[in-house]
Structures are given as C-alpha cells and as structure tokens.
C-alpha cells in the first residue's frame, strides 16, 4: 500500500517579495531531498500562482511505500533541516496522508 503524503503551507509573511523568496526556498529544499532519502518514491512541490491572500502558498505531494517509510523520511536529518526552515517561516500547515 503506497502512502501519499500531501502537505500545504501558508507563509506567515504578508510581503509579496518575501513570500516569493520563501516559497522558492521551500521548493528548493524539498526538491533536494530525494537523492539522499531513498524512502521517497515520488515528490512534487508546487507554489501557488492564484489568489495569494486566500490560498495556501506551497504544497508538497509525495509518495512512500508505507507508513514506516514515511516515518523514516520524517526522521531523516536532511528532512529535519528543511522542516526546520519551513517551520521558521510558516503561519499555517495542513496535511493529509492517504492510501493510493
């Protein structure tokens, strides 16, 4: 059973230039993870392009073999580094993990 891990973030900043910079940094950080974390089967990161005040700013869609593989990804030091940056700039987070 594959687990799809979907996370959306709303950045805390209201400055459009800062939002663009932070969203790009999150995207780069997350996209750097697959080579060092073999548990990632697929990973896609999107940055919102419409309704910036209403929509969340960044979304991660990633696939893992099972819940244990997702847990190993979450605990991986490279993921923890990226997650620490994300936590430092995010105002809200939403996540859903489901079977595909």
């Amino acid at each position: 059973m594959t687990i799809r891990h979907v996370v959306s973030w709303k950045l805390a900043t209201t400055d459009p230039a800062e939002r663009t910079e932070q969203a790009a940094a999150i995207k780069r950080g997350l996209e750097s993870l697959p080579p060092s974390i073999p548990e990632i089967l697929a990973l896609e990161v999107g940055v919102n392009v419409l309704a910036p005040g209403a929509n969340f700013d960044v979304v991660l869609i990633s696939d893992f073999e099972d819940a244990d593989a997702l847990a190993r990804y979450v605990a991986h030091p490279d993921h923890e580094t990226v997650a620490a940056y994300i936590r430092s700039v995010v105002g809200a987070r939403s996540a859903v993990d489901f079977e595909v």
Side-chain angles (χ1 to χ4, degrees), residues 5 14 23 34-35 45 50 55 57 63 73 83 86 96 100:
H5 176 60
T14 57
V45 181
L50 300 175
N55 290 346
D57 299 297
D63 291 345
Y73 157 78
I86 293 171
V96 176
V100 292

Side-chain angles (χ1 to χ4, degrees), residues 35-100:
S36 64
I37 305 177
E39 286 80 7
I40 299 170
L41 301 178
L43 182 142
E44 184 174 1
V45 181
V47 174
N48 182 59
V49 296
L50 300 175
N55 290 346
F56 273 49
D57 299 297
V58 182
V59 64
L60 164 69
I61 303 166
S62 52
D63 291 345
F64 299 87
E65 184 175 320
D66 55 27
D68 291 338
L70 175 57
R72 288 191 301 276
Y73 157 78
V74 169
H76 193 283
D78 291 349
H79 171 266
E80 289 181 352
T81 298
V82 174
Y85 172 74
I86 293 171
R87 284 190 298 273
S88 77
V89 297
V90 163
R93 177 187 181 273
S94 174
V96 176
D97 299 306
F98 59 95
E99 295 179 2
V100 292

Side-chain angles (χ1 to χ4, degrees), residues 16-32:
E18 192 173 27
R19 179 183 294 119
T20 298
E21 178 183 312
Q22 291 173 353
I26 290 170
K27 181 174 172 62
R28 279 192 311 274
L30 291 168
E31 289 177 343
S32 76

